[in-house]
Amino acid sequence: MKLRPVLYALLILLFIFPSISLSHPHVFVVNRVIFVFDKDGLAGIRLSWNFDDFFSSMIAMDYDKNHNGSFEASEISLIKKEAFDYLANSDYFAFIKIDNKSFKVKYVRDFVPKLKDGKLSYNFFVPCHVKALSNFKKVVIAVYDPSYYSAVFFGKNNPVSIEKGSRFKTDWKIAENMKETYYYDQIHPVEVIFNFCLKNDNVK
Amino acid sequence: MIMLNRFSILACLLSAGLVLFFMLLPRPVLSQNPFTSSETVISSKTRPENFTRPKKQNSFLVKITELQQQLNSKMASMIRETKKTGSIKPLLTLIITAFIYGVIHAAGPGHGKAFALAYLVSENRSIYTAFLFGNMIAFFHGLSGTGLVLLLHFILQTGVAKSLGSVTNITQIISYSLIAMLGAVLFIKNGWQIFWQKEIKPDKNKTEEPEGSRVAGRSGTFVAALIVGGVPCPGVVLVMLFALSMNMTGLGLALAFALSFGMAVTISIVVAAGLAGKKILLGSMQKHANFAGIAQRIIETTASVLLMLLGGIFLAAVI
């Protein structure tokens, strides 16, 4: 029996069979992360998502009932109920670690959907209190859809910003986590690695 | 009853291994939109705290995802431009872009490629039928998406975002149940041939699809393609919706067709390549006619078991 054709056949089959799964990206999200401080340290993380035109049009068609190009209070509450709250099942796509320990996102607040020139955006706040000390605390956040129905990318401009952080020393970087994968071991999460501590003049 | 030699024992073990591998596969992630559906829950396999070992990512999937995002954005800009200027100039570019989007979109996970391949291998169909089958799946996939949007928007006049999830779920339940049943029927048929056919040789006539079985074969292929491709394609749904939001239904239909045609190219090539793999494998065994015959029956029976298992696994994930 010739071996080369057998190898070709096996290669072809191996190429095809790993693709057995259901989901693939249908929604594209550009994500921005804002670290928000209060007087004690990190208060939480605000996520700002800009959606692709196709998904935007679907939400606008269904929920901008009066077709005025913006959402009123009643429309916002319906969007929250029918096109946002279900994300609780996916931890709101926010996977956080504080000093290398997982922090499960159980709830979020201040949800604001907006329409601008037909493009949809969601903004919401993830409470995540971490007290600042004299030594650095590390908070890592990866934002992704585990089902891969949506593909989440970091924005090219200002992917990370800091609010009310003047009392604290901060640094951050965005990096692919080569040690972890999601969606059946196929994709590495891209994370913001954020470090902060009290500035010297604020240390008691 | 056939006499088992060492080759057939090896082939049986390989088949059993493949079946076991698929049985151990995790339940697939649901294809529902996590924004609008309560069905999507992170499985234990995708929870970050369960990650234990470093893995290499699927760079191909990452690349085609980035490419899809760019094409998605380009298509939306061109549709807006067409609406704004009233010019048909970008139309050809737009249709070509939608076609390329379809080609790349179907290259990712899903779209019934695995079901199609398992069906074609278990039925010992020709490469021509594989191309035909791949095309039919893609067009049914696109057609069901287009039909769903038109039905919900113009006739039922209801929101698509919410209804899409429930309609998709119903079609998935029907489709996966029928796929599992189809796999079971083919398994019984192929198993019967293994144990009751006295002389086992490669069935060349079957590959040629003789005249007598052509009509039944074609209608069977049509029904199987309808079963596999009947689940609406969310990609087509979203493009149609965007065109409708611009009051450009005709353009939406043209784009849905171009996108489906693109998906047809990819699905056809993938299933034909898979089928060619089987034919190369059997062709390499021509000197051992008896073994080739046994191998053919075992491959076909394994494929029918896989079809049944895949249908069952996916059904369990959506009910």
Side-chain angles (χ1 to χ4, degrees):
Chain A
M1 184 166 44
K2 288 175 186 171
L3 274 177
R4 191 172 285 179
V6 178
L7 284 174
Y8 286 148
L10 287 174
L11 274 174
I12 292 167
L13 290 171
L14 281 173
F15 167 73
I16 292 158
F17 276 109
S19 65
I20 297 166
S21 41
L22 278 166
S23 309
H24 31 64
H26 286 111
V27 177
F28 300 95
V29 186
V30 174
N31 165 56
R32 288 183 172 80
V33 177
I34 303 119
F35 291 92
V36 182
F37 283 88
D38 60 15
K39 62 182 175 53
D40 296 321
L42 187 70
I45 301 163
R46 181 173 300 121
L47 294 179
S48 171
W49 292 350
N50 291 304
F51 292 93
D52 67 89
D53 294 80
F54 295 161
F55 183 72
S56 298
S57 72
M58 183 168 83
I59 297 297
M61 277 174 88
D62 278 13
Y63 298 101
D64 182 17
K65 303 278 185 198
N66 52 10
H67 306 291
N68 65 349
S70 64
F71 297 127
E72 280 74 50
S74 60
E75 294 167 344
I76 289 173
S77 112
L78 207 56
I79 292 172
K80 185 176 180 303
K81 187 180 162 205
E82 294 182 355
F84 178 72
D85 282 348
Y86 295 126
L87 292 185
N89 295 328
S90 312
D91 295 2
Y92 298 93
F93 298 174
F95 300 94
I96 299 173
K97 282 178 191 161
I98 301 167
D99 288 337
N100 298 320
K101 282 183 186 165
S102 283
F103 170 85
K104 186 171 167 57
V105 178
K106 287 180 183 162
Y107 69 99
V108 299
R109 58 177 167 85
D110 305 335
F111 170 68
V112 182
K114 274 184 187 165
L115 261 185
K116 191 181 175 191
D117 301 327
K119 291 201 176 186
L120 175 73
S121 67
Y122 280 0
N123 280 273
F124 59 97
F125 184 75
V126 181
C128 170
H129 291 276
V130 184
K131 192 175 165 65
L133 302 170
S134 56
N135 54 333
F136 274 101
K137 301 290 281 182
K138 184 166 97 172
V139 175
V140 176
I141 177 167
V143 180
Y144 61 84
D145 175 0
S147 74
Y148 211 50
Y149 192 98
S150 333
V152 184
F153 302 90
F154 272 105
K156 281 181 182 153
N157 304 318
N158 303 319
V160 177
S161 51
I162 295 155
E163 258 181 41
K164 300 176 188 169
S166 56
R167 294 180 68 235
F168 309 95
K169 201 189 284 182
T170 60
D171 71 67
W172 60 267
K173 68 170 180 178
I174 294 176
E176 199 172 288
N177 185 339
M178 309 294 272
K179 290 183 179 171
E180 293 181 358
T181 44
Y182 65 97
Y183 189 54
Y184 299 111
D185 295 328
Q186 293 196 86
I187 317 280
H188 288 314
V190 180
E191 304 173 331
V192 182
I193 301 161
F194 183 69
N195 296 296
F196 67 95
C197 69
L198 286 167
K199 279 182 179 169
N200 287 340
D201 49 349
N202 291 318
V203 178
K204 289 173 187 172
Chain B
M1 194 72 71
I2 58 170
M3 292 290 289
L4 291 178
N5 57 24
R6 62 196 168 102
F7 290 112
S8 50
I9 291 170
L10 191 70
C12 280
L13 287 173
L14 184 72
S15 308
L18 269 174
V19 171
L20 193 67
F21 169 74
F22 278 95
M23 284 178 79
L24 294 174
L25 271 183
R27 277 162 60 117
V29 175
L30 293 170
S31 161
Q32 300 283 5
N33 187 333
F35 289 91
T36 55
S37 169
S38 60
E39 302 295 324
T40 307
V41 178
I42 308 175
S43 74
S44 60
K45 281 277 172 188
T46 50
R47 275 202 178 279
E49 54 263 40
N50 289 345
F51 297 133
T52 49
R53 59 194 190 282
K55 292 262 184 172
K56 208 175 171 193
Q57 76 174 353
N58 182 343
S59 305
F60 175 72
L61 186 57
V62 174
K63 279 270 179 296
I64 61 168
T65 300
E66 286 169 2
L67 208 54
Q68 280 183 84
Q69 189 207 19
Q70 290 162 14
L71 290 171
N72 175 302
S73 170
K74 195 174 175 187
M75 267 199 291
S77 305
M78 282 192 288
I79 296 171
R80 283 186 199 281
E81 193 190 327
T82 309
K83 174 75 182 172
K84 198 173 163 186
T85 59
S87 159
I88 56 161
K89 251 172 100 179
L91 207 61
L92 185 64
T93 322
L94 188 53
I95 286 173
I96 293 170
T97 311
F99 169 77
I100 299 169
Y101 185 81
V103 170
I104 296 164
H105 188 61
H111 299 288
K113 296 192 290 291
F115 292 123
L117 185 61
Y119 169 72
L120 289 170
V121 170
S122 69
E123 276 278 78
N124 192 20
R125 293 304 174 108
S126 64
I127 300 289
Y128 164 77
T129 309
F131 274 103
L132 187 72
F133 191 59
N135 274 280
M136 283 197 282
I137 288 176
F139 282 105
F140 286 137
H141 200 33
L143 198 66
S144 59
T146 312
L148 174 68
V149 172
L150 296 178
L151 178 78
L152 291 172
H153 188 75
F154 289 112
I155 298 171
L156 300 177
Q157 298 188 335
T158 181
V160 175
K162 195 73 190 158
S163 312
L164 179 64
S166 48
V167 174
T168 302
N169 190 244
I170 292 165
T171 53
Q172 280 173 336
I173 290 171
I174 296 169
S175 173
Y176 302 146
S177 306
L178 292 173
I179 286 169
M181 280 161 63
L182 182 65
V185 169
L186 291 173
F187 172 65
I188 293 166
K189 187 182 132 194
N190 289 324
W192 177 272
Q193 284 176 342
I194 280 189
F195 288 104
W196 296 105
Q197 196 169 316
K198 284 182 181 170
E199 195 181 359
I200 306 285
K201 280 188 178 166
D203 199 346
K204 284 180 186 168
N205 289 335
K206 209 174 162 192
T207 312
E208 299 296 325
E209 293 184 36
E211 193 66 40
S213 67
R214 226 170 246 175
V215 177
R218 278 184 190 165
S219 60
T221 306
F222 180 86
V223 173
L226 189 63
I227 291 170
V228 176
V231 178
C233 173
V236 171
V237 167
L238 288 167
V239 171
M240 259 316 281
L241 277 174
F242 186 66
L244 282 183
S245 75
M246 298 271 158
N247 294 318
M248 300 169 89
T249 312
L251 180 66
L253 289 170
L255 294 177
F257 179 78
L259 212 152
S260 303
F261 186 44
M263 290 195 292
V265 169
T266 307
I267 297 171
S268 304
I269 289 173
V270 169
V271 294
L275 201 58
K278 176 194 164 191
K279 288 183 189 301
I280 293 168
L281 192 68
L282 292 175
S284 70
M285 299 171 188
Q286 271 177 347
K287 283 182 185 169
H288 310 271
N290 197 41
F291 174 60
I294 296 165
Q296 180 177 342
R297 296 284 180 254
I298 289 173
I299 290 171
E300 287 168 14
T301 310
T302 307
S304 56
V305 173
L306 289 181
L307 191 65
M308 194 167 57
L309 283 175
L310 285 173
I313 290 168
F314 280 68
L315 181 66
V318 295
I319 52 175

